Amino acid sequence: MPVVDIHTHIYPPTYVELLRSRTTVPYVRTFPDAPDSSRLIILPGEDDPSTPSTSRGRPIGPEYYDIAQKIAFMDTHKIDTSVISLANPWLDFLPGEKAGEAARKINDDVDGLCAKYPGRLYAFGTLPLSAPVEEVVQEIERLASLKHMRGVIMGTSGLGNGLDDKALDPIYAALEKNETLIFLHPHYGLPVSVYGPRANEYGHVLPLALGFPLETTIAVSRMLLSGVWDRFTKLKVLLAHSGGTLPFLAGRLESCIQHDGHLKELGKTEGRRDVWDILKTNIYLDAVIYSDVGLKAAMNASGADRLMFGTDHPFFPPLEKDQKEWHSVNANYSAISTAFKDDKVAAEGVLGDNAIRILKLDL
Ligand code: URA
Ligand code: ZN
């Protein structure tokens, strides 16, 4: 029974060099109180001087950029194949004139890493979203010709105005035409003010546990409300973290649409595809939710045949030194065995067979 991890990141060495050369978020640097350990600072506001040094970013070691460590992690956790993706914030922060070349280089590097481990690695590519739209489309076309690419990873900002921006239509059209799946992943969270005046006493818990999933939920709701899937009926999107909170909130979202006088006035409550249709036709969900409670909601929303196992490696490592097995990974394995305890075929689907079928992996 093959196990496939579809949510697992890497910062290839060229990207780490880029981060080391920078002095504003995102960057990699050391701090005077721990000069021997580099820290990766990527999230908005994460380097605020009032933040204690233990929650200013996270330590960055070779598990973030050395592909041999990814393979060792896979071996430890009995993962046969991984679909690796550049981690956030991707190339979102690059000036437009630099983004196209950076995307080509990183995509070629990542495809080359996959080639070193036949059958064990595939990848989601990265798009130069700050470049002109034609350049983004060119990279979508080029990615379709790279042997190990099985989609693209994207944040929620789109071209700067979110994923409900009409200017994205040529990009959605190119993705749909090439049958390229979008792996939609959060990065920006919510405005830090919502976490309150004591936020920096709570480490990364509020932005990661709640900000990330709500960011995804809002982004995908905006896509739905703007009619992206009415215009691009075959556009496929894999949502990180089991859809944020979409499986739980889909009914409320749909009800709010049906009861909105403004939308009715504009004729937008009729003749549209509803959220349930899209969840079961266009959306796929990862199984990175750490509990059978959330996983069952994901299964009920999209179907067990659209869920795919993931780890989020190298994020969420064990905090104990010398702990080889990762609690975060085992929590996702346990959630699958609990949620699908009476359905072995469905469990095997989530663990690997769905990914093999959906992403056309040659295993
Ligand atoms: N933190 C991040 O910044 N990205 C992830 O993918 C997971 C945790
Ligand atoms: Zn992730």
Side-chain angles (χ1 to χ4, degrees):
M1 181 205 62
V3 176
V4 180
D5 178 359
I6 55 86
H7 188 155
T8 178
H9 302 293
I10 184 134
Y11 291 114
T14 40
Y15 190 90
V16 176
E17 272 166 44
L18 171 66
L19 294 192
R20 283 194 198 280
S21 73
R22 293 173 49 87
T23 53
T24 52
V25 176
Y27 60 85
V28 169
R29 61 163 282 197
T30 56
F31 287 92
D33 53 355
D36 298 330
S37 127
S38 294
R39 291 186 80 87
L40 170 70
I41 317 283
I42 44 175
L43 300 178
E46 209 173 43
D47 69 340
D48 189 295
S50 70
T51 305
S53 65
T54 46
S55 66
R56 231 178 287 150
R58 65 230 18 87
I60 174 170
E63 67 280 12
Y64 279 82
Y65 47 79
D66 179 1
I67 198 67
Q69 298 232 356
K70 178 76 74 191
I71 298 290
F73 164 85
M74 289 163 61
D75 291 342
T76 302
H77 295 91
K78 303 196 168 30
I79 294 164
D80 298 285
T81 300
S82 289
V83 186
I84 56 176
S85 50
L86 182 64
N88 49 301
W90 315 283
L91 303 175
D92 288 9
F93 57 92
L94 282 185
E97 65 280 8
K98 298 219 164 130
E101 197 187 327
R104 288 189 289 277
K105 169 92 180 97
I106 284 167
N107 288 331
D108 286 344
D109 283 359
V110 169
D111 194 60
L113 293 176
C114 298
K116 282 192 181 172
Y117 296 92
R120 296 214 72 189
L121 295 179
Y122 289 87
F124 295 122
T126 302
L127 296 180
L129 289 169
S130 53
V133 166
E134 307 76 62
E135 223 175 321
V136 182
V137 169
Q138 266 172 24
E139 191 58 9
I140 293 168
E141 302 280 351
R142 201 183 75 87
L143 281 167
S145 71
L146 295 188
K147 186 168 174 204
H148 303 90
M149 292 294 169
R150 290 298 186 274
V152 291
I153 185 163
M154 242 165 80
T156 60
S157 59
L159 303 172
N161 293 311
L163 301 180
D164 53 355
D165 180 3
K166 273 273 172 68
L168 281 164
D169 275 11
I171 295 174
Y172 289 142
L175 293 166
E176 186 184 53
K177 185 187 99 190
N178 287 285
E179 294 180 27
T180 303
L181 170 131
I182 299 174
F183 177 20
L184 177 58
H185 191 292
H187 167 70
Y188 298 94
L190 298 176
V192 289
S193 59
V194 306
Y195 304 124
R198 284 169 293 284
N200 73 11
E201 294 172 25
Y202 311 137
H204 290 114
V205 172
L206 293 171
L208 289 183
L210 307 179
F212 264 32
L214 281 166
E215 176 191 352
T216 305
T217 311
I218 293 167
V220 70
S221 301
R222 285 170 56 178
M223 288 175 79
L224 174 88
L225 286 164
S226 67
V228 166
W229 284 289
D230 296 308
R231 299 198 295 289
F232 303 100
T233 55
K234 298 208 156 52
L235 184 68
K236 298 179 287 185
V237 183
L238 163 63
L239 300 180
H241 315 126
S242 299
T245 63
L246 186 66
F248 186 76
L249 293 178
R252 185 170 177 86
L253 181 62
E254 195 50 42
S255 175
C256 286
I257 294 171
Q258 285 168 13
H259 292 89
D260 194 279
H262 173 71
L263 291 187
K264 189 174 168 61
E265 194 98 326
L266 296 174
K268 290 189 172 172
T269 52
E270 302 293 321
R272 70 194 170 89
R273 298 183 59 208
D274 71 18
V275 68
W276 302 113
D277 176 11
I278 287 156
L279 273 163
K280 291 195 162 68
T281 316
N282 300 88
I283 287 179
Y284 300 93
L285 303 171
D286 73 20
V288 182
I289 193 73
Y290 311 102
S291 156
D292 62 301
V293 175
L295 195 58
K296 284 178 195 154
M299 177 196 68
N300 287 327
S302 281
D305 58 341
R306 305 178 78 81
L307 296 183
M308 294 179 269
F309 172 74
T311 62
D312 224 346
H313 178 263
F315 296 100
F316 306 111
L319 298 179
E320 306 89 337
K321 271 207 171 74
D322 306 323
Q323 168 69 35
K324 276 197 86 181
E325 275 194 27
W326 289 34
H327 309 298
S328 54
V329 176
N330 288 341
N332 284 323
Y333 271 132
S334 300
I336 294 168
S337 50
T338 308
F340 298 101
K341 65 177 184 317
D342 300 321
D343 192 344
K344 190 161 173 276
V345 173
E348 290 181 358
V350 179
L351 287 169
D353 290 345
N354 294 346
I356 294 171
R357 185 188 75 250
I358 294 162
L359 303 176
K360 301 190 173 75
L361 308 182
D362 317 305
L363 297 179

